[in-house]
Amino acid sequence: MSEITSFPPPSTDLSILLLGSGGREHALAYKLSQSKRVSKIYVCPGNGGTALMGGKVSNLSIPWGAQPAFKSIIEFAQSNKIDLVVPGPEQPLVDGVEGAFKKIGIPVFGPSPQAAMLEGSKSLSKEFMFRHNIPTAQFRSFTSDQYTQAVEYIQSNPFSSGRCVIKASGLAAGKGVLIPETNEEALEALKSVMVDKEFGDAGDEVVVEEYLTGPEISVLAFSDGYTIVPMPAAQDHKRIGEGDTGPNTGGMGAYAPAPVATKEILDRVVKESLEPTIKGLREDGYPFVGMLFTGFMLTPDGPKVLEYNVRFGDPETQALMLLLDDETDLAEVMLAAVERRLDSVKLGYRDGYAVSVVLASQGYPGKYPKGVPMTINPDMPSGVHVFHAGTAIKNDTGVTDGGRVLAVCASGSTLREAVDLAYSGVDQISWEGKTYRRDIAYRALSSEPPTSSTSAPSGGLTYAAAGVSITAGNDLVEAIKPVVKATRRPGADSNIGGFGGAFDLAACGYEDPILVSGTDGVGTKLRVALDYGKHATVGIDLVAMSVNDLIVQGAEPLYFLDYYACSKLNVPVATDVITGIAEGCLQAGCALIGGETAEMPGMYHTDDYDLAGFAVGVVERKQLLPSNDIKENDVLIALSSSGPHSNGFSLIRKIVSLSGLSLTDIAPWSKGSQKVGDALLEPTKIYIKSLLPGIKGGLYKGMSHITGGGFTENIPRIFEGDLGVQLDLGSYQLPEFWKWLMKTGQVEAKEMVRTFNCGVGMVIVVDSTKVDSALQSLAENGENGWVIGKVVKGKGVRYTGLESFGQ
């Protein structure tokens, strides 16, 4: 009887060739062997652990390497009908194993040699990130004949942190990254890589990059060139010693999922870095298929890429394989990737955590002995898995055969449970010189809340023990009292330290007063201040952003209160900030009558702080702006800004970063020797004293403070009804900073005028008969205004000269 035509069932006798000899390969063989579709796994060359697996898994002793040495395993693959090749380490991928097997029609779970250069060349990968706007540290690359230029670059102290990282561009077995603490150490590190050839040919090209701070995470993600599917983020431990001390290694342990990698952070990792990476490679003509293993630093500015790897990580893989649930078929996932249908499969994970603890030979990562006999208790605690790396079987005895010898892994419902179980397995293994870290997962465990059995320290807990210093707070109050006192004015004595600040409105002499209030912050301009180490000017910004919002309603600022929040109170820094706030109050003519300093351990990152301000002003009812008589053909007068003020810094910082500029570099848009950091931190102009006389003289009908949203969003806030404005962008010369920003960031004029102030901090509406009087009043009070446009019928902002703006 004939049957209805249907698709053939999936093959259930897949043969897989797994290249490599480490713990990663043992863990992959362990998970692949669970697939019902897999009948045979050859591990070439494998290790002592894979040799003992039996069943579907066997070692294959065939030498292979760069072309033409793939010939032997290609012949084996053809004669044994291999269905999928899985390279473990990066070297065969860089050497072209994918292309070699592609020619004979056998798929490889791994990228082409071109795409594999993401790991093969750190210089190439950094340029790729820069080209595709992927967040990463600032950097410069130098070739072997540019040693002198590299020395000069380091000596110029190019990064605001004062520290840099030296990376050998080529493959160096995970050890080619040096992290000096001083410029002198950086120069020594540079010499060791470029001159002394510590990492051989890998150091023929060197990357000098900005030292970033923050927690690190590793994200391993499957990709088919279009879709990218990340696994839970892991944290590894690169240094040999507890507390992250000593030299770098290939990795001494890992745990996953890393608690620091919240859903919000992982969403940003995918959207800002992983998806643009896969898209960028495809656009460049090198679609990425395989495992993309990306290291991230979780900086205060968000996740930034440290480096790419184009294969499974070690020791992250050992932990992650334990998290994959029984329903997840790793072989099926890999086949889906190479067949460009990754979106058709799902990865599932067990609840809880997994940990790997690496046991190494004595002397690692330096010289170490081989052939040392090992004893491994066959009765391991339930749930413990031992994956072999540098091991071999000699005379039926397991011996060490590498630097990293074993990875002892375990999973549990809590991280503490998984860690304790793994270390119970470590105790069942012995050999002379066994070396391991006893603090794997210490970062996450140190942030866990104490259990109910944890007792308080002798003498009881104190506020200081929780990280809050009342003494520092008192010291700050004493330090700022003189500058705060200087802001006193009629109605306020500016004494601080009480429960609240009082203001005597009757002392101001207003007849029919209306109170006007405003609140604001400084935004990500604070990040510049923190990175550059200059804090006084942001205090002026804080005042300016609030009081300028008062003056546009005709209100004279009366008093100001601030809110300063931090994790650990740094009295000198806080004093600088509040001194700046007092200076802003003096410029605005208002009193600083109080504030709040909040020290909140764990809420902010290291030395970060945040600011908020609150201002109250007063205006006579009849002078409240905007007036209700604004009409068509009223004239717009512009007042210049002092710079970007305090808006648009997320984009400004992005452009500065992509340009390769350091905050300590000379600003390319300045005519003198002003540094980038000083230029960006130029405080927001306060317009109070130049505008109040004209307000009280009845010269102005309305005003717009040009902040975030530029002309396009801010000027229409003046009007009610069917009125808008016509702006003549040719009425003034765009300052050099904005021209540089447009050109460097390739920002369109339309985007400029709806994002930045573009050199104009305030726009005033005046009657056409009062233009000259208004301009004269402004000049007498220190401002040179100019006519920039007029009021017209129809809502919104129309522009003249937009096409040539900034040229």
Side-chain angles (χ1 to χ4, degrees):
M1 180 177 177
S2 61
E3 295 182 359
I4 297 175
T5 303
S6 62
F7 289 111
S11 172
T12 56
D13 59 349
L14 295 174
S15 292
I16 295 177
L17 175 60
L18 178 57
L19 303 180
S21 60
R24 163 185 49 216
E25 288 73 39
H26 190 176
L28 290 173
Y30 160 80
K31 187 60 183 176
L32 286 168
S33 67
Q34 296 173 12
S35 172
K36 295 178 181 179
R37 296 191 59 186
V38 174
S39 62
K40 189 65 180 176
I41 301 169
Y42 299 96
V43 190
C44 182
N47 56 43
T50 53
L52 295 172
M53 288 182 71
K56 300 178 182 180
V57 182
S58 62
N59 283 356
L60 178 65
S61 182
I62 296 180
W64 52 267
Q67 293 281 18
F70 290 132
K71 181 180 178 182
S72 56
I73 56 171
I74 286 174
E75 291 175 350
F76 174 87
Q78 287 176 313
S79 61
N80 288 272
K81 298 181 179 180
I82 296 296
D83 298 290
L84 178 68
V85 178
V86 181
E90 66 276 8
Q91 195 64 57
L93 290 164
V94 174
D95 289 342
V97 69
E98 186 270 346
F101 278 92
K102 185 178 181 179
K103 289 179 180 178
I104 61 170
I106 298 177
V108 173
F109 180 75
S112 67
Q114 294 86 355
M117 288 304 292
L118 274 186
E119 179 170 1
S121 170
K122 292 182 176 64
S123 176
L124 177 147
S125 69
K126 295 289 285 190
E127 293 292 344
F128 171 84
M129 286 182 258
F130 177 79
R131 190 167 64 253
H132 291 284
N133 296 324
I134 295 166
T136 189
Q138 297 181 49
F139 73 99
R140 275 190 60 183
S141 299
F142 300 91
T143 56
S144 57
D145 60 351
Q146 294 178 311
Y147 174 69
T148 301
Q149 293 95 313
V151 169
E152 292 172 351
Y153 183 65
I154 292 173
Q155 289 174 333
S156 72
N157 196 27
F159 306 119
S160 58
S161 66
R163 293 182 64 183
C164 64
V165 177
I166 310 296
K167 293 183 175 182
S169 181
L171 296 177
K175 305 184 189 73
V177 177
L178 303 177
I179 308 176
E181 295 189 2
T182 65
N183 272 6
E184 290 71 24
E185 290 181 9
L187 293 173
E188 292 176 9
L190 184 73
K191 180 176 179 292
S192 71
V193 177
M194 298 189 78
V195 178
D196 301 336
K197 296 294 183 182
E198 180 177 346
F199 305 111
D201 293 343
D204 286 348
E205 196 171 13
V206 169
V207 174
V208 179
E209 72 175 33
E210 174 188 15
Y211 175 79
L212 300 177
T213 59
E216 291 185 39
I217 60 171
S218 302
V219 179
L220 279 68
F222 293 91
S223 175
D224 63 2
Y226 295 88
T227 303
I228 187 156
V229 180
M231 301 179 77
Q235 282 192 303
D236 72 344
H237 301 68
K238 285 294 186 186
R239 304 269 188 161
I240 187 67
E242 277 88 4
D244 292 320
T245 58
N248 270 346
T249 70
M252 293 301 294
Y255 58 97
V260 72
T262 62
K263 182 180 183 302
E264 179 186 9
I265 287 174
L266 287 178
D267 287 345
R268 291 189 65 179
V269 160
V270 173
K271 295 297 181 184
E272 297 175 12
S273 298
L274 298 185
E275 288 180 350
T277 296
I278 297 305
K279 183 174 182 286
L281 284 166
R282 192 170 64 250
E283 290 175 347
D284 288 354
Y286 309 115
F288 187 98
V289 175
M291 175 57 62
L292 182 65
F293 162 27
T294 311
F296 290 92
M297 183 76 79
L298 304 184
T299 77
D301 294 331
K304 292 189 177 184
V305 174
L306 293 175
E307 64 179 2
Y308 292 116
N309 299 281
V310 297
R311 35 71 189 181
F312 285 92
D314 188 340
E316 294 89 350
T317 298
Q318 290 91 312
L320 288 169
M321 290 302 104
L322 298 189
L323 285 180
L324 288 173
D325 63 21
D326 293 337
E327 302 302 315
T328 300
D329 186 326
L330 182 60
E332 174 59 29
V333 174
M334 290 179 172
L335 283 171
V338 300
E339 293 169 1
R340 311 301 197 270
R341 55 177 181 87
L342 188 57
D343 58 352
S344 70
V345 296
K346 291 184 179 181
L347 277 79
Y349 300 95
R350 293 183 172 87
D351 293 334
Y353 298 82
V355 175
S356 64
V357 180
V358 170
L359 309 186
S361 296
Q362 187 174 23
Y364 177 79
K367 293 182 179 180
Y368 51 83
K370 292 185 179 182
V372 180
M374 303 181 298
T375 300
I376 302 176
N377 187 342
D379 297 320
M380 279 285 167
S382 177
V384 173
H385 298 264
V386 179
F387 295 119
H388 290 235
T391 67
I393 305 296
K394 291 187 177 179
N395 300 322
D396 296 327
T397 300
V399 298
T400 65
D401 195 41
R404 292 189 296 171
V405 179
L406 300 170
V408 182
C409 307
S411 59
S413 59
T414 67
L415 183 56
R416 170 57 68 187
E417 180 184 332
V419 169
D420 290 346
L421 186 57
Y423 278 110
S424 71
V426 170
D427 292 340
Q428 304 301 310
I429 300 171
S430 62
W431 75 82
E432 185 178 350
K434 181 181 77 172
T435 301
Y436 65 98
R437 283 182 56 162
R438 295 164 176 81
D439 65 346
I440 300 303
Y442 79 93
R443 303 183 194 94
L445 293 175
S446 65
S447 64
E448 285 187 349
T451 63
S452 57
S453 62
T454 302
S455 60
S458 176
L461 288 170
T462 65
Y463 212 14
V468 179
S469 173
I470 296 174
T471 301
N474 292 335
D475 290 345
L476 175 62
V477 171
E478 292 304 312
I480 64 177
K481 275 185 176 179
V483 296
V484 173
K485 189 76 173 178
T487 69
R488 64 186 183 274
R489 56 156 291 160
D493 59 13
S494 290
N495 286 324
I496 59 170
F499 288 102
F503 192 93
D504 182 4
L505 187 58
C508 297
Y510 280 81
E511 298 175 359
D512 188 14
I514 292 178
L515 293 178
V516 181
S517 60
T519 184
D520 212 332
V522 181
T524 57
K525 188 174 186 177
L526 277 181
R527 186 73 257 156
V528 180
L530 287 159
D531 290 345
Y532 193 52
K534 182 178 180 179
H535 304 281
T537 57
V538 292
I540 300 174
D541 288 309
L542 184 67
V543 177
M545 296 306 292
S546 289
V547 299
N548 284 342
D549 283 348
L550 300 186
I551 197 68
V552 299
Q553 297 174 83
E556 173 190 4
L558 297 178
Y559 60 85
F560 188 86
L561 298 100
D562 68 84
Y563 178 80
Y564 180 99
C566 60
S567 179
K568 178 77 172 172
L569 182 60
N570 183 318
V571 174
V573 170
T575 301
D576 279 352
V577 172
I578 297 172
T579 299
I581 292 172
E583 171 60 27
C585 289
L586 287 170
Q587 293 183 25
C590 65
L592 178 56
I593 66 170
E596 168 72 4
T597 301
E599 190 174 22
M600 299 183 286
M603 287 291 291
Y604 293 89
H605 181 72
T606 57
D607 296 326
D608 287 1
Y609 59 86
D610 200 6
L611 297 174
F614 180 77
V616 173
V618 63
V619 59
E620 293 285 7
R621 187 180 304 273
K622 63 183 179 182
Q623 293 174 344
L624 185 66
L625 298 178
S627 63
N628 58 11
D629 61 343
I630 297 177
K631 63 183 185 302
E632 187 179 3
N633 291 320
D634 281 346
V635 174
L636 304 180
I637 293 176
L639 303 183
S640 65
S641 67
S642 57
H645 285 181
S646 298
N647 299 100
F649 268 85
S650 294
L651 180 54
I652 290 170
R653 289 168 44 246
K654 177 78 170 179
I655 293 171
V656 170
S657 176
L658 292 175
S659 75
L661 281 176
S662 163
L663 295 177
T664 58
D665 288 340
I666 301 301
W669 57 84
S670 69
K671 295 181 180 179
S673 58
Q674 187 180 41
K675 293 182 178 179
V676 173
D678 292 318
L680 295 182
L681 290 172
E682 187 70 34
T684 304
K685 186 184 287 189
I686 295 175
Y687 297 94
I688 309 306
K689 294 180 179 179
S690 59
L691 291 175
L692 271 177
I695 292 170
K696 294 183 176 181
L699 295 176
Y700 311 140
K701 292 185 174 184
M703 300 183 209
S704 175
H705 180 201
I706 309 302
T707 59
F711 300 135
T712 305
E713 301 296 331
N714 285 292
I715 296 178
R717 296 163 69 182
I718 302 174
F719 305 105
E720 291 185 0
D722 190 32
L723 288 177
V725 299
Q726 181 78 43
L727 287 190
D728 180 8
L729 297 179
S731 65
Y732 72 107
Q733 183 67 35
L734 187 67
E736 290 301 315
F737 168 73
W738 300 111
K739 292 181 180 178
W740 178 87
L741 202 73
M742 287 184 73
K743 181 179 179 181
T744 306
Q746 298 181 359
V747 184
E748 295 181 356
K750 183 178 179 182
E751 183 70 15
M752 291 290 294
V753 296
R754 72 177 182 187
T755 304
F756 303 113
N757 69 52
C758 296
V760 177
M762 189 73 68
V763 171
I764 311 167
V765 181
V766 301
D767 191 278
S768 60
T769 63
K770 296 183 178 181
V771 173
D772 291 340
S773 298
L775 290 172
Q776 182 179 347
S777 174
L778 290 166
E780 289 172 351
N781 292 282
E783 278 292 343
N784 293 315
W786 72 93
V787 174
I788 194 173
K790 63 181 180 180
V791 178
V792 296
K793 287 283 188 182
K795 295 181 179 181
V797 181
R798 301 168 181 80
Y799 297 98
T800 300
L802 185 63
E803 298 79 8
S804 58
F805 191 52
Q807 296 179 4

